Amino acid sequence: MDKIEFKVYDVPVTDLPLYKRYAELLSEINQRIWVIKVDPGFIARYDILALHLMNICDRSRFPDLQSIDENISEYLTSYKKLELLRSLVVNSLNRFVRDRSCRDQYAEYSKTLELYKRQLSEVTKNIDRLTKRAITLTQEAKPSVETRPESPSAAPERAIPPTRR
């Protein structure tokens, strides 16, 4: 596992004013794209009528399909710009949600981690002194165990195996 991610929000990100402004902008862009493309579908209606006018009553308003698009090229360009703008707004909104919503918690957690680090430093700064004391006590205890005389009553009794009769 490379990393663990915790997402903690004091206030839901959807309640933030900037998020609401992004959402309103995105809604307006989507509405315009919808009107142009689908409802009432100006581009689709235009294309169908223009195809009829390519050769109606032996007269042609448009010699080919490319000329149909050239006739409304500025609107098609605007439509493509709206789609690009929608992508940019969605990316900005995602970045805002990711970066902005956790910035305060990140700073607060970092500050608290530094406090804990200082406290751990205080607790662990005398470890070497404690280690030396433990080694000294261990060394003092060894000679007294080795030099203590062993009494005969303290010797373990040997079990005599039973003999067979």
Side-chain angles (χ1 to χ4, degrees):
M1 181 181 319
D2 291 341
K3 67 178 183 176
I4 298 175
E5 184 174 329
F6 295 96
K7 294 190 177 186
V8 181
Y9 303 108
D10 291 340
V11 176
V13 72
T14 54
D15 290 346
L16 297 174
L18 188 56
Y19 181 90
K20 289 179 181 181
R21 292 198 312 257
Y22 270 124
E24 289 168 1
L25 176 61
L26 190 57
S27 177
E28 186 176 340
I29 292 169
N30 282 331
Q31 181 63 31
R32 288 178 187 238
I33 289 173
W34 176 259
V35 168
I36 291 170
K37 189 173 182 181
V38 181
D39 180 41
F42 291 122
I43 290 177
R45 287 180 173 183
Y46 179 86
D47 284 344
I48 290 171
L49 189 56
L51 286 171
H52 288 297
L53 289 175
M54 280 183 77
N55 191 10
I56 190 167
C57 302
D58 292 328
R59 294 181 62 196
S60 177
R61 169 129 185 233
F62 301 106
D64 57 17
L65 292 175
Q66 186 177 354
S67 63
I68 293 173
D69 286 346
E70 287 173 357
N71 197 42
I72 58 168
S73 64
E74 79 176 82
Y75 304 111
L76 292 174
T77 303
S78 295
Y79 176 77
K80 289 177 183 175
K81 285 181 181 179
L82 279 172
E83 286 186 324
L84 178 62
L85 183 61
R86 177 176 56 186
S87 295
L88 293 173
V89 170
V90 167
N91 287 338
S92 295
L93 181 60
N94 287 337
R95 197 173 329 112
F96 168 73
V97 168
R98 184 183 64 240
D99 297 342
R100 181 73 183 232
S101 61
C102 286
R103 182 177 18 187
D104 295 336
Q105 285 81 11
Y106 181 82
E108 184 179 322
Y109 285 177
S110 293
K111 190 186 325 178
T112 305
L113 281 176
E114 286 302 315
L115 174 68
Y116 290 162
K117 188 176 172 183
R118 284 194 301 268
Q119 290 172 345
L120 283 169
S121 176
E122 283 295 317
V123 169
T124 59
K125 73 179 178 182
N126 290 329
I127 293 290
D128 290 338
R129 186 177 56 83
L130 293 174
T131 304
K132 287 177 186 176
R133 281 182 51 199
I135 291 171
T136 303
L137 285 174
T138 303
Q139 289 173 347
E140 288 176 7
K142 280 184 182 177
S144 63
V145 170
E146 292 174 359
T147 58
R148 185 175 46 170
E150 198 173 306
S151 65
S153 62
E157 293 182 19
R158 293 186 194 173
I160 301 175
T163 56
R164 287 189 191 179
R165 292 187 187 193

